[in-house]
């Protein structure tokens, strides 16, 4: 497997918003909301605590963590 190339720019709010929407639609997060401060409020489960993410880069880091967890727990396909 080839490692991904480094980003040439910082993640944008639009990119973070798109990933947040995907995570919520796929029920991998209960909620993800952009606050007026540029921070993101995310909640894993309905009754779970709300976490504050610093900005778009933190949303993409969370997305990568979730993707890694999904890929590492699913059975290998041949």
């Amino acid at each position: 497997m080839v490692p991904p190339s480094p980003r040439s720019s910082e993640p944008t709010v639009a990119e973070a918003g798109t990933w947040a929407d995907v995570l919520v639609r796929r029920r991998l997060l209960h909620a993800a909301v952009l606050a007026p401060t540029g921070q993101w409020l995310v909640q894993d489960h309905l009754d779970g605590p709300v976490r504050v993410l610093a900005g778009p880069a933190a949303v993409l880091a969370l997305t990568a963590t979730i993707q890694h967890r999904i890929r590492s727990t699913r059975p290998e396909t041949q």
Side-chain angles (χ1 to χ4, degrees):
M1 181 192 291
V2 176
S5 59
R7 291 182 64 99
S8 60
S9 64
E10 289 295 312
T12 64
V13 171
E15 183 179 9
T18 299
W19 277 112
D21 287 345
V22 168
L23 294 173
V24 171
R25 267 198 328 262
R26 300 238 179 207
R27 298 183 181 179
L28 298 168
L29 286 178
H30 174 69
V33 177
L34 176 61
T37 60
Q39 297 172 315
W40 287 82
L41 308 176
V42 297
Q43 188 176 29
D44 294 333
H45 305 286
L46 175 61
D47 295 327
V50 174
R51 292 184 287 156
V52 179
L53 303 181
V59 174
L60 268 62
L62 175 62
T63 302
T65 299
I66 291 170
Q67 288 176 333
H68 178 73
R69 184 183 70 222
I70 290 168
R71 290 179 180 146
S72 66
T73 59
R74 71 178 173 197
E76 292 294 319
T77 56
Q78 303 268 340

